[in-house]
Amino acid sequence: MNEKLPSEFLNKNDDTFSKFYNEFMSIKDTENLEIEGRIGTIIDKFTNNRIKLNCPHPIILKSNSNYRFQSGVTQSYFEDKICKLKELNFSAVNDRVVLSKGIRYLYEGDKLISCQKKYKEKTIDIYLPGSVYDIRISFNREISVESEKSKHFVKNLIRNRKRKSFLFHEYSLDFTVVENECKDVTNEIEVEVKDFGFSKLEFLDILINLSKLKK
């Protein structure tokens, strides 16, 4: 028998999981709204390792004061998932994201594509004990702003990206290789909602399947 979980965790085998998930996924206003799920690892801040819970079912982490979510997967896992989606149509783009004073500048080559400020509304992390990775689901507002034209423009962070996006139902499955200024490379998998008539359960199922290693 599984040990009783701490109060900050909700077991998917319990009605409270579905209730909390459905309430979290409720949408009151779609203006400038971005809903995305990321694949990564929930890390215990004390051990710096992935958390381990004695439960066979997915678990929602309501409070993450003792944990952090680390986005990204291994290169081999990343390539394996892309290979399994080869029957789907995809688009590819290389771009660059520059963060300055909380504003996100998106470039393709030297051309500025967008200039936005992102406001985080809510986030939950879901631990998947039977999977290789875990999930983070986020609601954000992306507001277009004017570009900073000052000569004192400060680049706080630069990320060069190579992305393949696969369209599936109401979603974009984004596979992105990211390189920062220090030449550190991460392989990121995201699912972004493109149509707000989407199914909450299908969205969760897609994320769970992307978190599993299937041969």
Side-chain angles (χ1 to χ4, degrees):
M1 181 178 294
N2 295 318
E3 299 175 2
K4 183 175 176 60
L5 292 169
S7 60
E8 66 262 36
F9 298 106
L10 292 178
N11 188 337
K12 195 175 187 297
N13 201 35
D14 193 316
D15 289 341
T16 54
F17 181 102
S18 296
K19 182 179 179 181
F20 185 89
Y21 175 74
N22 286 325
E23 288 179 353
F24 175 85
M25 294 297 293
S26 63
I27 302 171
K28 297 179 180 179
D29 177 14
T30 61
E31 185 176 5
N32 301 314
L33 179 63
E34 174 197 59
I35 302 176
E36 66 176 9
R38 289 176 173 265
I39 309 302
T41 308
I42 300 176
I43 303 292
D44 186 320
K45 292 181 180 179
F46 297 102
T47 65
N48 208 34
N49 294 316
R50 187 187 184 203
I51 63 173
K52 293 183 179 180
L53 299 175
N54 185 24
C55 184
H57 307 287
I59 295 168
I60 286 178
L61 177 58
K62 295 192 295 181
S63 171
N64 63 356
S65 59
N66 295 323
Y67 310 95
R68 62 182 175 85
F69 184 85
Q70 181 173 296
S71 182
V73 301
T74 64
Q75 182 179 351
S76 59
Y77 188 94
F78 182 86
E79 292 174 351
D80 177 78
K81 289 300 182 183
I82 289 179
C83 184
K84 287 179 169 55
L85 295 173
K86 61 185 178 182
E87 300 300 324
L88 296 178
N89 293 327
F90 72 90
S91 60
V93 64
N94 296 344
D95 58 25
R96 183 173 77 260
V97 174
V98 177
L99 294 179
S100 175
K101 300 178 182 178
I103 297 175
R104 182 176 180 269
Y105 298 83
L106 178 64
Y107 294 88
E108 289 184 11
D110 294 326
K111 182 180 180 181
L112 178 62
I113 303 301
S114 65
C115 181
Q116 296 178 323
K117 192 171 182 64
K118 180 179 286 192
Y119 297 89
K120 296 182 179 180
E121 289 203 345
K122 53 184 179 179
T123 299
I124 56 169
D125 296 331
I126 302 178
Y127 172 65
L128 303 174
S131 300
V132 181
Y133 292 102
D134 306 306
I135 296 168
R136 164 165 285 186
I137 300 175
S138 301
F139 278 50
N140 305 302
R141 299 282 173 184
E142 296 181 324
I143 310 298
S144 295
V145 297
E146 290 189 8
S147 173
E148 172 64 67
K149 297 180 180 179
S150 168
K151 63 181 180 180
H152 300 296
F153 179 80
V154 178
K155 298 178 181 179
N156 301 123
L157 178 67
I158 299 176
R159 304 173 84 227
N160 295 300
R161 310 187 304 180
K162 296 181 179 180
R163 170 173 288 182
K164 285 186 177 181
S165 296
F166 298 82
L167 294 179
F168 178 74
H169 294 183
E170 293 85 11
Y171 318 97
S172 176
L173 281 57
D174 300 329
F175 291 75
T176 310
V177 178
V178 181
E179 182 180 272
N180 63 19
E181 294 173 278
C182 298
K183 303 299 181 182
D184 297 322
V185 175
T186 57
N187 300 283
E188 300 181 354
I189 301 177
E190 302 169 338
V191 179
E192 183 174 348
V193 174
K194 292 298 185 181
D195 183 336
F196 292 113
F198 74 106
S199 163
K200 299 174 186 177
L201 291 179
E202 182 180 54
F203 179 60
L204 182 58
D205 284 343
I206 290 172
L207 287 167
I208 290 175
N209 284 327
L210 284 172
S211 302
K212 293 179 179 178
L213 185 60
K214 293 183 177 180
K215 296 298 185 182

